[in-house]
């Protein structure tokens, strides 16, 4: 009788501790691992004539965020692109070595986690592929330098493996996810 009771308790315990990855758990682990929300940033190479040419085809000068040194001479060390005080709120911390090379890190937008749109269990529920969406918000005027799909949501995949202590995100997924 004790053996039968023990077997029933084990079955109930195993049945209740599902090894499937829920959308909620996947969302929690993605937030922890990927550190959402994130800042999407880019470097502006103010001393690069090609970058200045690209910037001249945007509205950033007309909107008052940048100016150009159009009279720059051959040995002139001034940058081709200069930032106005109006651009300063979009500056991000830039390493001193980059600043010395006329590079400025600029905020393009914030990236926030949307939702988990699907969980595909693999390998007898020991691994999973999770699809989730991200959105771009607080888009800055400097987005003009980097045209893209900033008004849409992007779908991203995350790869999970089940360990003895629970689910973990795989940073370098192996062949078991193919």
């Amino acid at each position: 009788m004790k053996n039968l009771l023990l077997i029933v308790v084990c079955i109930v315990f195993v049945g209740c501790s599902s090894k499937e990855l829920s959308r909620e758990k996947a969302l929690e682990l993605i937030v922890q691992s990927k550190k959402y929300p994130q800042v999407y940033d880019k470097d502006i190479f103010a001393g690069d004539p090609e970058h200045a040419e690209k910037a001249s085809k945007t509205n950033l000068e007309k909107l008052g965020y940048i100016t150009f040194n159009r009279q720059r001479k051959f040995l002139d060390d001034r940058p081709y692109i200069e930032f106005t005080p109006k651009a300063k709120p979009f500056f991000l911390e830039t390493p001193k070595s980059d600043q010395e090379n006329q590079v400025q890190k600029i905020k393009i937008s914030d990236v926030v986690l949307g939702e988990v749109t699907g969980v595909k269990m693999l390998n007898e529920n020991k691994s999973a592929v999770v699809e989730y969406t991200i959105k771009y918000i607080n888009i800055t005027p400097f987005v003009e330098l980097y045209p893209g799909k900033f008004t849409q949501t992007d779908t991203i995949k995350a790869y999970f493996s089940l360990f003895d202590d629970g689910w973990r995100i795989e940073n370098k997924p192996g062949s078991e996810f193919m």
Side-chain angles (χ1 to χ4, degrees):
M1 187 68 164
K2 287 183 181 180
N3 288 342
L4 181 59
L5 182 60
L6 183 61
I7 292 172
V8 170
V9 169
C10 287
I11 290 172
V12 169
F13 180 76
V14 170
C16 291
S17 62
S18 172
K19 290 186 179 187
E20 284 198 22
L21 179 63
S22 70
R23 287 180 183 223
E24 294 78 19
K25 184 64 176 176
L27 192 66
E28 176 187 324
L29 292 171
I30 290 168
V31 167
Q32 286 175 2
S33 174
K34 306 295 183 186
K35 311 251 188 284
Y36 286 105
Q38 301 173 351
V39 173
Y40 183 79
D41 62 54
K42 287 288 189 176
D43 290 337
I44 293 185
F45 299 90
D48 180 3
E50 290 178 17
H51 205 96
E53 176 67 26
K54 182 179 176 183
S56 72
K57 295 176 182 171
T58 69
N59 290 316
L60 291 171
E61 183 177 32
K62 185 167 62 172
L63 294 171
Y65 292 101
I66 60 174
T67 59
F68 296 99
N69 285 320
R70 290 184 169 84
Q71 305 303 320
R72 189 169 186 260
K73 304 290 187 239
F74 177 66
L75 294 175
D76 194 345
D77 63 347
R78 293 179 301 154
Y80 289 98
I81 301 171
E82 290 190 0
F83 298 98
T84 68
K86 193 174 178 179
K88 301 255 190 267
F90 306 112
F91 282 15
L92 297 174
E93 189 174 328
T94 305
K96 188 141 182 84
S97 61
D98 283 354
Q99 290 176 11
E100 290 168 358
N101 290 310
Q102 301 175 340
V103 176
Q104 176 61 55
K105 190 171 289 300
I106 296 285
K107 177 181 177 179
I108 304 298
S109 73
D110 290 319
V111 182
V112 295
L113 186 59
E115 64 180 336
V116 171
T117 57
V119 177
K120 183 179 181 181
M121 300 302 297
L122 304 169
N123 302 323
E124 299 175 5
N125 294 343
K126 293 180 181 165
S127 56
V129 178
V130 174
E131 285 191 353
Y132 65 96
T133 60
I134 58 169
K135 299 176 189 175
Y136 301 93
I137 61 170
N138 303 324
I139 298 171
T140 73
F142 288 93
V143 73
E144 286 191 53
L145 288 170
Y146 304 96
K149 304 177 280 183
F150 290 98
T151 58
Q152 302 174 358
T153 58
D154 285 336
T155 300
I156 298 179
K157 289 184 180 181
Y159 302 91
F160 292 80
S161 292
L162 181 61
F163 287 80
D164 63 341
D165 63 345
W167 288 97
R168 296 185 199 167
I169 290 184
E170 293 285 348
N171 293 325
K172 295 182 181 179
S175 61
E176 68 271 19
F177 296 100
M178 303 306 155

